């Protein structure tokens, strides 16, 4: 719904201040109260004149003589629409920022894998960052049509996911606002492990007749947070394996090349590295120590990098057991530091 064009920015600000003050206190709001309790930087006389205009326009009214003003239904309607429009704008900005950052990171990781392979003459892999302990930052429900809403779920690291929720009978804007407030007030900052049955039951009870919507949203959150199947892994230099006689026999080489092409085993290597590595250092797997069976004739050296807010990825180098460990570790340390620095550089811009 479009905002009322008859109100100036100052009137919008004063109306918002009146409603927020009234929601907090339950008492009619006067011009002196607003001038003292807000950062409007306006005199009581100016606020009083603007309040008179808002009253004439039907956004506020005076419950009895010599009292302050309280919001009318029309005032509440405009306030809700303003909130929803602001949240939609915030989400669009966040999506745009994250798409730009994701595109930038993807390009950097692809290049990193190529440079590392050229520098070491071994096979290399770099996984895109994932969050091993996802937390909820924000949820917004928005109307799609009469019987569907979209749940926009923002997780730690500003990962954004969307899920369509069926709502037979539909929801009005006021109900959507209340459900959004309920979800965000309760779930902000929580991990999926913290969302237990007791909490779910309490949320459903508070949602009343809309408990099924809450249940569907929480199911969507659980589904999204547990999905790691789309892990992105960038590889380079797999054919370098043929440079080493001990790895270039047909079966060994084919198994390693297949692992790089299919990437499922590389995903297992990433998961193993992220779950076992506690000190953000370098892990060295020699022969049978390697988490990936097809690499039992190799040495695998991995390091973890971090892009902030728990977003971690793995850098890996796969080569013969006689690899130049000193050079490999130095190369990994350098790339690890450079990738770590990406987040801190971007966060200051």
């Amino acid at each position: 719904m479009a905002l009322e064009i008859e109100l100036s920015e100052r009137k919008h600000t004063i109306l918002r201040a009146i409603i927020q003050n009234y929601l907090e206190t339950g008492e009619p709001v006067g011009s002196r109260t607003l001038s003292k309790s807000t950062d409007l930087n306006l005199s009581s006389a100016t606020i009083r004149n603007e309040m008179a205009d808002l009253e004439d326009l039907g956004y506020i009214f005076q419950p009895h003589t010599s009292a302050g003003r309280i919001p009318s239904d029309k005032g509440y309607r405009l306030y809700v629409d303003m909130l929803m429009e602001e949240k939609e704008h915030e989400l669009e900005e966040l999506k745009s920022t994250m798409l730009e950052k994701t595109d930038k990171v993807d390009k950097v990781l692809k290049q990193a894998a190529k440079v590392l392979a050229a520098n070491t003459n071994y096979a290399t892999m770099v996984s895109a960052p994932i969050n091993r302990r996802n937390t909820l930052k924000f949820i917004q429900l928005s109307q799609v049509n009469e019987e569907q809403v979209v749940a926009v779920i923002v997780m730690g690291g500003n990962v954004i996911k969307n899920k369509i929720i069926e709502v037979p009978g539909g929801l009005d804007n006021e109900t959507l606002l209340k459900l959004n407030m309920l979800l965000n007030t309760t779930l902000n900052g929580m991990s999926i492990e913290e969302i237990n049955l007791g909490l779910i039951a309490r949320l459903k009870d508070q949602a009343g007749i809309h408990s099924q919507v809450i249940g569907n949203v929480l199911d969507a959150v659980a589904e999204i947070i547990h999905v790691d199947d789309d892990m992105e892994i960038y590889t380079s230099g797999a054919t370098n394996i043929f440079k080493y006689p001990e790895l270039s026999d047909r079966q060994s080489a084919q198994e390693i090349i297949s692992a790089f092409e299919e990437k499922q085993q590389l995903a297992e290597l990433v998961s193993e590295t992220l779950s076992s590595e506690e000190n953000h250092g370098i892990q060295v797997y020699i022969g049978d120590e390697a988490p990936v069976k097809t690499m039992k004739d190799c040495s695998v050296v991995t390091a973890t990098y971090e892009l902030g807010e728990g977003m971690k990825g793995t850098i890996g180098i796969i080569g013969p057991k006689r690899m130049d460990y000193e050079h490999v570790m130095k190369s990994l340390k350098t790339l690890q530091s450079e990738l770590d620095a990406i987040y801190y550089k971007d966060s200051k811009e």
Side-chain angles (χ1 to χ4, degrees), residues 10-235:
R10 179 189 287 177
K11 285 185 173 64
H12 275 299
T13 302
I14 290 175
L15 177 60
R16 179 193 290 268
I18 292 170
I19 294 175
Q20 290 175 337
N21 194 284
Y22 182 67
L23 289 175
E24 290 175 8
T25 66
E27 299 291 334
V29 184
S31 58
R32 284 181 60 82
T33 299
L34 287 183
S35 65
K36 290 179 178 179
S37 63
T38 67
D39 56 359
L40 293 175
N41 295 320
L42 298 172
S43 67
S44 294
T46 300
I47 294 173
R48 193 158 48 248
N49 289 336
E50 295 286 11
M51 289 175 72
D53 289 343
L54 288 169
E55 186 171 7
D56 290 341
L57 292 168
Y59 291 103
I60 57 177
F61 67 95
Q62 195 171 29
H64 50 81
T65 308
S66 73
R69 270 70 168 180
I70 66 174
S72 65
D73 289 351
K74 183 179 179 181
Y76 280 126
R77 173 77 270 161
L78 182 57
Y79 178 68
V80 168
D81 289 344
M82 284 193 293
L83 284 182
M84 294 188 70
E85 186 166 298
E86 287 169 4
K87 286 300 180 186
E88 291 288 350
H89 182 65
E90 287 173 14
L91 277 174
E92 287 304 315
E93 285 189 338
L94 182 56
K95 284 182 182 179
S96 176
T97 300
M98 289 311 300
L99 284 172
E100 290 176 10
K101 187 169 285 189
T102 299
D103 184 55
K104 177 181 178 181
V105 170
D106 285 350
K107 289 177 181 177
V108 168
L109 296 182
K110 287 178 184 177
Q111 185 62 23
K114 289 181 181 179
V115 170
L116 201 56
N119 192 328
T120 62
N121 274 320
Y122 303 130
T124 63
M125 52 147 285
V126 182
S127 73
I130 58 176
N131 197 327
R132 304 304 294 184
R133 185 183 178 275
N134 267 319
T135 57
L136 285 168
K137 293 185 70 175
F138 183 72
I139 298 175
Q140 175 158 327
L141 303 180
S142 299
Q143 199 81 39
V144 175
N145 55 45
E146 290 184 357
E147 297 203 337
Q148 288 182 322
V149 297
V150 60
V152 181
I153 301 168
V154 184
M155 297 175 291
N158 286 336
V159 176
I160 301 173
K161 301 286 185 178
N162 299 327
K163 183 75 174 180
I164 296 295
I165 307 292
E166 301 294 331
V167 284
L171 299 172
D172 57 35
N173 285 338
E174 282 86 353
T175 300
L176 276 174
L177 182 65
K178 288 177 182 177
L179 292 178
N180 280 324
M181 291 176 66
L182 174 61
L183 287 165
N184 286 292
T185 300
T186 308
L187 301 178
N188 183 269
M190 281 194 168
S191 66
I192 190 64
E193 291 80 10
E194 294 171 315
I195 304 175
N196 54 39
L197 292 175
L199 179 63
I200 293 172
R202 190 165 72 250
L203 276 171
K204 287 185 173 182
D205 183 59
Q206 290 176 295
I209 62 172
H210 303 295
S211 61
Q212 187 57 49
V213 177
I214 294 294
N216 290 341
V217 171
L218 294 176
D219 288 343
V221 170
E223 178 185 334
I224 287 169
I225 286 181
H226 281 136
V227 170
D228 275 342
D229 295 337
D230 57 351
M231 182 189 296
E232 193 71 51
I233 298 176
Y234 306 100
T235 61

